[in-house]
Amino acid sequence: RTKSWVSFLLIEERVTMDLFCSDLDNTLIYSSRRPLDGEKFCVERLDGREISFMTRRALELLKELEKRMLFIPVTTRRVEQYQRLCFPGISPSYVLACNGGVLLEEGKIAMDWYQESLGMVEDCRGELDKGQRVLTEDENRDFEVWRIQELFLFTKTREPGETVKKLKDCLDLQKIDVFTNQSKVYVLPKVLNKGTALERIKCRLGAERVFAAGDSAFDVPMLEKADLAYRGG
């Protein structure tokens, strides 16, 4: 699967500043529960356990792709979660974490970017407060409520459908998006999306074109803003 969409990018000549903005989980890397074709190797460990994998062929293609354009991971993962990853031979200079709200430059948080992100979500703070109260009182919740970098909310629930309904019934959906991924529930300001992040990084780096790949609802805004996009799943 990875070969099919990475291979077509390899025909591009790097004559301008081009970016390859890619989601990570279920696009480039996969959990231990996901069967993979061909040789695979571990790219993430947690408490001594191997939890995420990538195929060797995908890594080879990604290394080749880096010769033609700048690879920028774009992930909803927190900074600490991203930093658990290790791609042999690849060390991206730029990483967009926290759904694009945090930019890592050479491994360090770019504070100007982060402060701009906080300003972008300022108008949604009341809705995030309200969402946090709903999640805290939700009897289906089986995980603590995290307010990630003061940008968005995350928790887990036994009944994600019911939890999402409670949130949507009380939040301003003109300002807020609610996403689920199995038991995980996210409450995010609409302005804090990967499409906006793509536009910001394109402007910051003076890029000419952006290619993108992703697999979930989180990735749709990024795919729609890219010059060429691939959606898996």
Side-chain angles (χ1 to χ4, degrees):
R1 181 182 288 108
T2 305
K3 179 181 178 180
S4 64
W5 58 264
V6 175
S7 295
F8 82 85
L9 290 179
L10 292 178
I11 66 173
E12 297 289 337
E13 294 293 334
R14 190 171 181 178
V15 295
T16 59
M17 165 64 88
D18 292 341
L19 309 180
F20 173 46
C21 293
S22 179
D23 174 53
L24 294 176
D25 294 276
N26 295 315
T27 300
L28 285 178
I29 67 176
Y30 300 89
S31 77
S32 56
R33 298 183 299 274
R34 179 78 173 263
L36 294 177
D37 296 330
E39 185 182 1
K40 67 177 183 179
F41 61 93
C42 179
V43 294
E44 181 180 16
R45 290 177 172 83
L46 179 62
D47 298 328
R49 296 179 294 113
E50 296 183 339
I51 62 172
S52 295
F53 296 83
M54 187 176 188
T55 66
R56 186 165 301 280
R57 180 57 176 156
L59 179 64
E60 292 171 352
L61 290 169
L62 191 57
K63 288 179 179 178
E64 190 64 27
L65 186 64
E66 273 204 309
K67 299 175 184 178
R68 292 163 169 79
M69 57 189 72
L70 190 62
F71 168 48
I72 301 180
V74 186
T75 179
T76 308
R77 285 175 174 240
R78 294 176 289 117
V79 172
E80 296 83 358
Q81 290 174 308
Y82 171 77
Q83 290 174 334
R84 293 198 304 249
L85 297 172
C86 178
F87 303 103
I90 296 177
S91 182
S93 297
Y94 302 93
V95 177
L96 288 166
C98 301
N99 218 48
V102 173
L103 172 66
L104 299 179
E105 292 182 317
E106 303 297 347
K108 297 181 179 180
I109 293 177
M111 293 308 299
D112 61 328
W113 180 286
Y114 177 53
Q115 291 300 322
E116 183 178 66
S117 298
L118 290 175
M120 289 166 55
V121 305
E122 180 65 33
D123 189 44
C124 300
R125 291 195 184 280
E127 295 303 308
L128 290 175
D129 290 342
K130 193 185 303 181
Q132 189 164 1
R133 288 194 295 270
V134 171
L135 291 173
T136 299
E137 297 169 1
D138 183 12
E139 65 276 9
N140 293 314
R141 182 174 56 84
D142 55 4
F143 192 78
E144 59 191 307
V145 181
W146 287 355
R147 191 149 176 164
I148 309 296
Q149 299 283 151
E150 288 297 321
L151 297 171
F152 63 94
L153 305 175
F154 167 80
T155 192
K156 296 180 182 180
T157 171
R158 292 181 295 273
E159 298 291 342
E162 291 183 14
T163 300
V164 167
K165 184 178 186 306
K166 290 178 183 179
L167 289 165
K168 288 187 173 181
D169 283 346
C170 73
L171 297 179
D172 183 351
L173 300 181
Q174 297 299 312
K175 294 182 177 181
I176 294 291
D177 278 326
V178 181
F179 292 105
T180 61
N181 181 0
Q182 298 178 340
S183 64
K184 300 174 183 177
V185 176
Y186 300 82
V187 180
L188 301 100
K190 283 186 177 291
V191 295
L192 189 76
N193 65 69
K194 292 185 179 184
T196 301
L198 182 150
E199 291 182 319
R200 292 170 70 190
I201 196 66
K202 182 178 181 181
C203 179
R204 188 181 184 95
L205 299 180
E208 294 290 332
R209 298 179 299 178
V210 180
F211 303 89
D215 73 291
S216 72
F218 289 105
D219 303 315
V220 170
M222 175 175 68
L223 301 181
E224 290 177 341
K225 294 291 185 181
D227 294 285
L228 187 62
Y230 175 89
R231 181 174 182 179

